[in-house]
Amino acid sequence: MSAARPPETHAVVVNDAGQYSVWPVDRAVPGGWREVGFRGDRDGCLDHVEAVWQGPRPALPDPA
């Protein structure tokens, strides 16, 4: 039996086009992206993005 791993911490990042994403804090933020100052678990970060992102959303893949 293995010990449960703690939840991974993520940061909310944004690019110059105003697109948001979440990124693991233990990895370098890719070029063209910057942190916005919100960190937490992945779900918390996604909730924050949903609350602040005013721009168009990327298209979701067709489930077919």
Side-chain angles (χ1 to χ4, degrees):
M1 179 180 252
S2 63
R5 292 176 22 186
E8 188 174 23
T9 302
H10 287 76
V12 175
V13 295
V14 65
N15 65 19
D16 289 338
Q19 299 167 317
Y20 285 81
S21 188
V22 297
W23 198 255
V25 297
D26 62 347
R27 297 177 60 191
V29 175
W33 293 83
R34 64 187 182 284
E35 287 194 43
V36 300
F38 186 94
R39 288 184 173 197
D41 65 14
R42 186 174 186 277
D43 289 340
C45 287
L46 290 172
D47 289 343
H48 180 76
V49 169
E50 182 68 29
V52 300
W53 193 351
Q54 301 297 313
R57 303 291 202 272
L60 296 175
D62 186 2

